[in-house]
Amino acid sequence: MRTLKSLILSVLLFQITYGQDLNLTQYFSNRQHINPAATGLHANDWLIGGTYKSFSSSAGGGIDYSYALVSIEKKWSVGKKNHLGTGILINSQQSNQKLLRNNMVLLNISYHNSLNAEGTKVVSGAIGMGLHKLIADASRFRFGSQMGIIDYN
């Protein structure tokens, strides 16, 4: 019954939102990316999040930019007050019909030591590692004329 209530509440709170400017995707604002020691530092056992954005050119054409991020965290109890957090963050960005591609996978493991019984004061440490791959197809880059009427492309 609790799971059903949570599902209904999630559906009621879900809404379509419009992303921000192309240059401000801010994948780095994800909690695992900012501070790997915060992985698993939440009230629930699981924390799953995701983002998808796509932008079209104002001049027409196809999608000029797309962005997808999935973040999964799991909290594991270690004793009565302490816990371990594990997490993965997967990010993919593509722009200009795949001229530029940016892919990233981050893995984090953190340990949280509670300093009081309520768990409101915590000392955390983490180890994070990742793979980041940036692909640029320079053979397809085209730049507009800097001279106004002369185009060297």
Side-chain angles (χ1 to χ4, degrees), residues 11-62:
V11 170
L12 292 175
L13 295 177
F14 177 77
Q15 60 180 333
I16 295 175
T17 58
Y18 294 97
Q20 55 194 357
D21 184 64
L22 168 63
N23 297 317
L24 302 172
T25 59
Q26 298 179 352
Y27 67 88
F28 50 82
S29 65
N30 183 282
R31 57 187 278 126
Q32 287 188 54
H33 197 271
I34 291 174
N35 185 4
T39 302
L41 192 58
H42 44 79
N44 300 316
D45 288 339
W46 287 92
L47 182 63
I48 301 172
T51 304
Y52 176 77
K53 299 177 185 179
S54 64
F55 301 88
S56 296
S57 171
S58 59

Short mmCIF file of all heavy atoms in Angstrom, two decimals, residues 11-62:
data_model
loop_
_atom_site.label_atom_id
_atom_site.label_comp_id
_atom_site.label_asym_id
_atom_site.label_seq_id
_atom_site.Cartn_x
_atom_site.Cartn_y
_atom_site.Cartn_z
N VAL A 11 3.30 10.27 -9.70
CA VAL A 11 2.61 10.58 -10.95
C VAL A 11 1.92 11.94 -10.86
O VAL A 11 1.94 12.73 -11.81
CB VAL A 11 1.60 9.47 -11.30
CG1 VAL A 11 0.70 9.88 -12.45
CG2 VAL A 11 2.34 8.18 -11.63
N LEU A 12 1.33 12.25 -9.72
CA LEU A 12 0.65 13.53 -9.56
C LEU A 12 1.62 14.71 -9.56
O LEU A 12 1.28 15.80 -10.02
CB LEU A 12 -0.18 13.54 -8.27
CG LEU A 12 -1.39 12.62 -8.25
CD1 LEU A 12 -2.05 12.64 -6.88
CD2 LEU A 12 -2.39 13.01 -9.32
N LEU A 13 2.83 14.49 -9.06
CA LEU A 13 3.81 15.57 -9.00
C LEU A 13 4.63 15.70 -10.28
O LEU A 13 5.31 16.70 -10.47
CB LEU A 13 4.74 15.36 -7.81
CG LEU A 13 4.08 15.45 -6.44
CD1 LEU A 13 5.09 15.16 -5.34
CD2 LEU A 13 3.46 16.82 -6.24
N PHE A 14 4.57 14.71 -11.15
CA PHE A 14 5.37 14.73 -12.38
C PHE A 14 4.77 15.73 -13.35
O PHE A 14 3.57 15.79 -13.55
CB PHE A 14 5.38 13.34 -13.01
CG PHE A 14 6.13 13.31 -14.32
CD1 PHE A 14 7.50 13.30 -14.33
CD2 PHE A 14 5.45 13.30 -15.52
CE1 PHE A 14 8.19 13.27 -15.52
CE2 PHE A 14 6.14 13.27 -16.72
CZ PHE A 14 7.51 13.25 -16.71
N GLN A 15 5.63 16.51 -13.95
CA GLN A 15 5.17 17.45 -14.98
C GLN A 15 6.27 17.63 -16.01
O GLN A 15 7.43 17.42 -15.73
CB GLN A 15 4.77 18.78 -14.38
CG GLN A 15 5.90 19.47 -13.65
CD GLN A 15 5.48 20.80 -13.07
OE1 GLN A 15 4.57 21.42 -13.58
NE2 GLN A 15 6.15 21.23 -12.03
N ILE A 16 5.89 18.04 -17.18
CA ILE A 16 6.86 18.31 -18.23
C ILE A 16 7.41 19.70 -18.00
O ILE A 16 6.68 20.67 -17.85
CB ILE A 16 6.21 18.20 -19.62
CG1 ILE A 16 5.77 16.76 -19.86
CG2 ILE A 16 7.18 18.66 -20.70
CD1 ILE A 16 5.01 16.56 -21.13
N THR A 17 8.72 19.80 -17.98
CA THR A 17 9.36 21.10 -17.80
C THR A 17 10.27 21.37 -18.99
O THR A 17 10.73 20.44 -19.65
CB THR A 17 10.20 21.15 -16.51
OG1 THR A 17 11.17 20.11 -16.56
CG2 THR A 17 9.33 20.96 -15.28
N TYR A 18 10.50 22.60 -19.26
CA TYR A 18 11.34 22.97 -20.37
C TYR A 18 12.74 23.27 -19.87
O TYR A 18 12.92 23.94 -18.86
CB TYR A 18 10.75 24.17 -21.11
CG TYR A 18 9.44 23.81 -21.76
CD1 TYR A 18 8.24 24.09 -21.14
CD2 TYR A 18 9.42 23.13 -22.97
CE1 TYR A 18 7.04 23.72 -21.73
CE2 TYR A 18 8.23 22.76 -23.56
CZ TYR A 18 7.05 23.06 -22.93
OH TYR A 18 5.87 22.69 -23.50
N GLY A 19 13.74 22.75 -20.57
CA GLY A 19 15.12 22.93 -20.17
C GLY A 19 15.60 24.34 -20.38
O GLY A 19 14.95 25.16 -21.02
N GLN A 20 16.76 24.60 -19.85
CA GLN A 20 17.34 25.93 -19.96
C GLN A 20 18.18 26.04 -21.22
O GLN A 20 18.18 25.17 -22.06
CB GLN A 20 18.15 26.22 -18.72
CG GLN A 20 19.20 25.17 -18.44
CD GLN A 20 19.76 25.30 -17.05
OE1 GLN A 20 19.40 26.20 -16.33
NE2 GLN A 20 20.61 24.41 -16.68
N ASP A 21 18.90 27.12 -21.31
CA ASP A 21 19.69 27.43 -22.49
C ASP A 21 20.69 26.33 -22.79
O ASP A 21 21.21 25.67 -21.90
CB ASP A 21 20.40 28.77 -22.25
CG ASP A 21 21.17 29.21 -23.47
OD1 ASP A 21 20.52 29.46 -24.50
OD2 ASP A 21 22.40 29.28 -23.40
N LEU A 22 20.99 26.17 -24.07
CA LEU A 22 21.91 25.15 -24.55
C LEU A 22 23.26 25.18 -23.83
O LEU A 22 23.83 24.15 -23.50
CB LEU A 22 22.12 25.34 -26.06
CG LEU A 22 23.24 24.59 -26.74
CD1 LEU A 22 23.00 23.11 -26.65
CD2 LEU A 22 23.36 25.02 -28.18
N ASN A 23 23.77 26.34 -23.58
CA ASN A 23 25.09 26.47 -22.96
C ASN A 23 25.06 26.26 -21.45
O ASN A 23 26.10 26.29 -20.82
CB ASN A 23 25.68 27.84 -23.28
CG ASN A 23 25.89 28.01 -24.75
OD1 ASN A 23 26.36 27.10 -25.42
ND2 ASN A 23 25.50 29.15 -25.28
N LEU A 24 23.90 26.07 -20.87
CA LEU A 24 23.77 25.95 -19.43
C LEU A 24 23.12 24.63 -19.02
O LEU A 24 22.22 24.58 -18.22
CB LEU A 24 22.94 27.12 -18.88
CG LEU A 24 23.50 28.52 -19.18
CD1 LEU A 24 22.50 29.57 -18.77
CD2 LEU A 24 24.82 28.73 -18.49
N THR A 25 23.56 23.51 -19.59
CA THR A 25 22.94 22.22 -19.28
C THR A 25 23.20 21.80 -17.84
O THR A 25 22.40 21.13 -17.24
CB THR A 25 23.45 21.12 -20.21
OG1 THR A 25 24.85 21.03 -20.08
CG2 THR A 25 23.06 21.39 -21.64
N GLN A 26 24.35 22.13 -17.31
CA GLN A 26 24.71 21.92 -15.92
C GLN A 26 24.59 20.47 -15.45
O GLN A 26 24.06 20.17 -14.41
CB GLN A 26 23.87 22.83 -15.01
CG GLN A 26 24.14 24.28 -15.29
CD GLN A 26 23.31 25.21 -14.43
OE1 GLN A 26 22.44 24.77 -13.71
NE2 GLN A 26 23.60 26.48 -14.50
N TYR A 27 25.11 19.54 -16.27
CA TYR A 27 25.17 18.15 -15.82
C TYR A 27 25.99 18.04 -14.54
O TYR A 27 25.77 17.16 -13.73
CB TYR A 27 25.78 17.25 -16.90
CG TYR A 27 27.24 17.53 -17.16
CD1 TYR A 27 28.22 16.90 -16.42
CD2 TYR A 27 27.62 18.46 -18.12
CE1 TYR A 27 29.56 17.17 -16.64
CE2 TYR A 27 28.95 18.72 -18.35
CZ TYR A 27 29.91 18.08 -17.62
OH TYR A 27 31.22 18.35 -17.84
N PHE A 28 26.91 18.97 -14.35
CA PHE A 28 27.80 18.93 -13.20
C PHE A 28 27.09 19.32 -11.91
O PHE A 28 27.68 19.25 -10.85
CB PHE A 28 29.01 19.86 -13.43
CG PHE A 28 28.63 21.23 -13.88
CD1 PHE A 28 28.24 22.20 -12.99
CD2 PHE A 28 28.64 21.53 -15.23
CE1 PHE A 28 27.87 23.45 -13.41
CE2 PHE A 28 28.29 22.79 -15.67
CZ PHE A 28 27.90 23.76 -14.77
N SER A 29 25.83 19.73 -11.96
CA SER A 29 25.11 20.07 -10.73
C SER A 29 24.50 18.85 -10.06
O SER A 29 23.88 18.96 -9.02
CB SER A 29 24.03 21.12 -11.00
OG SER A 29 23.04 20.58 -11.84
N ASN A 30 24.69 17.67 -10.62
CA ASN A 30 24.23 16.45 -9.98
C ASN A 30 25.02 16.21 -8.70
O ASN A 30 26.23 16.43 -8.66
CB ASN A 30 24.39 15.27 -10.94
CG ASN A 30 23.86 13.99 -10.37
OD1 ASN A 30 24.51 13.36 -9.54
ND2 ASN A 30 22.68 13.61 -10.79
N ARG A 31 24.36 15.76 -7.66
CA ARG A 31 24.98 15.61 -6.34
C ARG A 31 26.19 14.67 -6.36
O ARG A 31 27.15 14.88 -5.63
CB ARG A 31 23.97 15.16 -5.31
CG ARG A 31 23.25 13.87 -5.68
CD ARG A 31 22.12 13.49 -4.74
NE ARG A 31 22.65 12.83 -3.58
CZ ARG A 31 22.41 13.21 -2.33
NH1 ARG A 31 21.62 14.21 -2.09
NH2 ARG A 31 22.92 12.56 -1.32
N GLN A 32 26.17 13.63 -7.19
CA GLN A 32 27.31 12.72 -7.25
C GLN A 32 28.51 13.39 -7.93
O GLN A 32 29.65 13.07 -7.64
CB GLN A 32 26.96 11.46 -8.02
CG GLN A 32 26.05 10.52 -7.27
CD GLN A 32 25.91 9.22 -8.00
OE1 GLN A 32 26.88 8.57 -8.33
NE2 GLN A 32 24.67 8.83 -8.27
N HIS A 33 28.25 14.30 -8.84
CA HIS A 33 29.33 14.98 -9.55
C HIS A 33 29.94 16.07 -8.68
O HIS A 33 31.15 16.27 -8.68
CB HIS A 33 28.80 15.56 -10.86
CG HIS A 33 29.87 15.90 -11.83
ND1 HIS A 33 30.48 17.12 -11.85
CD2 HIS A 33 30.46 15.17 -12.80
CE1 HIS A 33 31.39 17.14 -12.79
NE2 HIS A 33 31.40 15.97 -13.39
N ILE A 34 29.11 16.79 -7.95
CA ILE A 34 29.59 17.88 -7.08
C ILE A 34 30.40 17.32 -5.92
O ILE A 34 31.49 17.78 -5.62
CB ILE A 34 28.43 18.72 -6.54
CG1 ILE A 34 27.79 19.51 -7.67
CG2 ILE A 34 28.89 19.66 -5.44
CD1 ILE A 34 26.56 20.26 -7.25
N ASN A 35 29.83 16.33 -5.22
CA ASN A 35 30.45 15.81 -4.02
C ASN A 35 30.23 14.30 -3.94
O ASN A 35 29.19 13.85 -3.46
CB ASN A 35 29.87 16.50 -2.78
CG ASN A 35 30.56 16.08 -1.51
OD1 ASN A 35 31.53 15.32 -1.54
ND2 ASN A 35 30.07 16.58 -0.40
N PRO A 36 31.19 13.50 -4.39
CA PRO A 36 31.01 12.05 -4.32
C PRO A 36 30.76 11.53 -2.91
O PRO A 36 30.13 10.51 -2.73
CB PRO A 36 32.34 11.51 -4.87
CG PRO A 36 32.87 12.60 -5.72
CD PRO A 36 32.43 13.87 -5.06
N ALA A 37 31.21 12.26 -1.87
CA ALA A 37 30.98 11.83 -0.49
C ALA A 37 29.51 11.95 -0.09
O ALA A 37 29.10 11.40 0.92
CB ALA A 37 31.85 12.64 0.46
N ALA A 38 28.71 12.66 -0.88
CA ALA A 38 27.27 12.77 -0.59
C ALA A 38 26.49 11.58 -1.16
O ALA A 38 25.29 11.46 -0.92
CB ALA A 38 26.71 14.06 -1.17
N THR A 39 27.15 10.69 -1.89
CA THR A 39 26.48 9.51 -2.44
C THR A 39 25.95 8.66 -1.30
O THR A 39 26.69 8.27 -0.41
CB THR A 39 27.45 8.69 -3.30
OG1 THR A 39 27.96 9.52 -4.34
CG2 THR A 39 26.77 7.49 -3.91
N GLY A 40 24.67 8.37 -1.32
CA GLY A 40 24.04 7.56 -0.28
C GLY A 40 23.65 8.35 0.96
O GLY A 40 23.16 7.78 1.92
N LEU A 41 23.84 9.65 0.95
CA LEU A 41 23.51 10.48 2.11
C LEU A 41 22.11 11.07 1.92
O LEU A 41 21.93 12.23 1.59
CB LEU A 41 24.56 11.60 2.26
CG LEU A 41 24.54 12.38 3.57
CD1 LEU A 41 24.71 11.46 4.76
CD2 LEU A 41 25.62 13.44 3.56
N HIS A 42 21.11 10.20 2.07
CA HIS A 42 19.71 10.59 1.93
C HIS A 42 18.87 9.67 2.82
O HIS A 42 19.37 8.69 3.36
CB HIS A 42 19.25 10.53 0.47
CG HIS A 42 19.70 9.31 -0.27
ND1 HIS A 42 19.08 8.10 -0.14
CD2 HIS A 42 20.73 9.12 -1.12
CE1 HIS A 42 19.70 7.21 -0.90
NE2 HIS A 42 20.71 7.80 -1.50
N ALA A 43 17.61 10.00 2.97
CA ALA A 43 16.74 9.28 3.92
C ALA A 43 16.33 7.89 3.42
O ALA A 43 16.10 6.99 4.22
CB ALA A 43 15.50 10.11 4.22
N ASN A 44 16.24 7.69 2.12
CA ASN A 44 15.74 6.42 1.57
C ASN A 44 16.90 5.48 1.25
O ASN A 44 18.05 5.87 1.22
CB ASN A 44 14.92 6.70 0.32
CG ASN A 44 13.74 7.58 0.62
OD1 ASN A 44 13.04 7.39 1.60
ND2 ASN A 44 13.53 8.58 -0.22
N ASP A 45 16.56 4.22 0.96
CA ASP A 45 17.57 3.25 0.58
C ASP A 45 18.05 3.48 -0.85
O ASP A 45 19.19 3.21 -1.19
CB ASP A 45 17.05 1.82 0.72
CG ASP A 45 16.91 1.41 2.17
OD1 ASP A 45 17.57 2.02 3.03
OD2 ASP A 45 16.14 0.48 2.45
N TRP A 46 17.16 3.92 -1.73
CA TRP A 46 17.48 4.16 -3.14
C TRP A 46 17.17 5.60 -3.50
O TRP A 46 16.21 6.18 -3.01
CB TRP A 46 16.64 3.25 -4.05
CG TRP A 46 17.05 1.82 -4.02
CD1 TRP A 46 16.56 0.85 -3.20
CD2 TRP A 46 18.03 1.19 -4.84
NE1 TRP A 46 17.17 -0.35 -3.46
CE2 TRP A 46 18.08 -0.17 -4.47
CE3 TRP A 46 18.87 1.64 -5.86
CZ2 TRP A 46 18.92 -1.08 -5.09
CZ3 TRP A 46 19.71 0.72 -6.47
CH2 TRP A 46 19.74 -0.61 -6.09
N LEU A 47 17.96 6.15 -4.40
CA LEU A 47 17.69 7.46 -4.97
C LEU A 47 18.00 7.36 -6.46
O LEU A 47 19.13 7.09 -6.86
CB LEU A 47 18.56 8.54 -4.32
CG LEU A 47 18.34 9.97 -4.81
CD1 LEU A 47 16.92 10.44 -4.50
CD2 LEU A 47 19.35 10.91 -4.19
N ILE A 48 16.97 7.53 -7.28
CA ILE A 48 17.12 7.42 -8.73
C ILE A 48 16.64 8.73 -9.35
O ILE A 48 15.57 9.23 -9.02
CB ILE A 48 16.29 6.23 -9.28
CG1 ILE A 48 16.76 4.93 -8.63
CG2 ILE A 48 16.41 6.16 -10.80
CD1 ILE A 48 15.90 3.73 -8.95
N GLY A 49 17.45 9.27 -10.23
CA GLY A 49 17.09 10.51 -10.89
C GLY A 49 17.50 10.48 -12.34
O GLY A 49 18.35 9.70 -12.76
N GLY A 50 16.87 11.33 -13.12
CA GLY A 50 17.21 11.39 -14.54
C GLY A 50 16.78 12.70 -15.15
O GLY A 50 15.89 13.38 -14.64
N THR A 51 17.43 13.05 -16.24
CA THR A 51 17.12 14.26 -16.97
C THR A 51 17.26 13.98 -18.45
O THR A 51 18.20 13.30 -18.87
CB THR A 51 18.10 15.40 -16.59
OG1 THR A 51 18.07 15.59 -15.19
CG2 THR A 51 17.73 16.70 -17.27
N TYR A 52 16.34 14.50 -19.24
CA TYR A 52 16.48 14.47 -20.69
C TYR A 52 16.08 15.83 -21.23
O TYR A 52 15.04 16.36 -20.86
CB TYR A 52 15.60 13.38 -21.33
CG TYR A 52 15.70 13.43 -22.84
CD1 TYR A 52 16.81 12.92 -23.49
CD2 TYR A 52 14.71 14.03 -23.60
CE1 TYR A 52 16.93 12.99 -24.87
CE2 TYR A 52 14.81 14.11 -24.98
CZ TYR A 52 15.93 13.59 -25.62
OH TYR A 52 16.05 13.67 -26.97
N LYS A 53 16.92 16.38 -22.08
CA LYS A 53 16.63 17.67 -22.70
C LYS A 53 16.98 17.58 -24.17
O LYS A 53 17.93 16.90 -24.56
CB LYS A 53 17.47 18.79 -22.08
CG LYS A 53 17.26 19.01 -20.61
CD LYS A 53 18.19 20.09 -20.11
CE LYS A 53 18.08 20.24 -18.61
NZ LYS A 53 18.97 21.24 -18.08
N SER A 54 16.22 18.27 -24.99
CA SER A 54 16.58 18.39 -26.41
C SER A 54 16.21 19.79 -26.87
O SER A 54 15.19 20.34 -26.47
CB SER A 54 15.87 17.33 -27.25
OG SER A 54 14.49 17.53 -27.22
N PHE A 55 17.07 20.35 -27.70
CA PHE A 55 16.88 21.70 -28.19
C PHE A 55 16.89 21.67 -29.71
O PHE A 55 17.70 20.99 -30.30
CB PHE A 55 18.02 22.62 -27.73
CG PHE A 55 18.17 22.71 -26.24
CD1 PHE A 55 18.95 21.80 -25.55
CD2 PHE A 55 17.54 23.71 -25.54
CE1 PHE A 55 19.10 21.90 -24.19
CE2 PHE A 55 17.68 23.81 -24.17
CZ PHE A 55 18.46 22.90 -23.50
N SER A 56 16.03 22.45 -30.32
CA SER A 56 16.01 22.57 -31.77
C SER A 56 16.51 23.94 -32.16
O SER A 56 16.35 24.91 -31.43
CB SER A 56 14.59 22.37 -32.31
OG SER A 56 14.14 21.08 -32.03
N SER A 57 17.05 24.01 -33.34
CA SER A 57 17.53 25.28 -33.86
C SER A 57 16.36 26.20 -34.14
O SER A 57 15.31 25.77 -34.62
CB SER A 57 18.32 25.04 -35.14
OG SER A 57 18.61 26.25 -35.77
N SER A 58 16.53 27.47 -33.86
CA SER A 58 15.47 28.43 -34.16
C SER A 58 15.33 28.64 -35.66
O SER A 58 14.31 29.12 -36.13
CB SER A 58 15.77 29.77 -33.47
OG SER A 58 17.01 30.27 -33.93
N ALA A 59 16.34 28.24 -36.43
CA ALA A 59 16.30 28.39 -37.89
C ALA A 59 15.65 27.19 -38.56
O ALA A 59 15.55 27.13 -39.76
CB ALA A 59 17.70 28.60 -38.43
N GLY A 60 15.22 26.22 -37.79
CA GLY A 60 14.60 25.03 -38.36
C GLY A 60 15.58 23.88 -38.40
O GLY A 60 16.71 23.97 -37.95
N GLY A 61 15.14 22.77 -38.93
CA GLY A 61 16.00 21.60 -39.01
C GLY A 61 15.69 20.63 -37.88
O GLY A 61 14.68 20.72 -37.21
N GLY A 62 16.61 19.70 -37.67
CA GLY A 62 16.42 18.68 -36.64
C GLY A 62 16.82 19.16 -35.28
O GLY A 62 17.04 20.34 -35.04
#
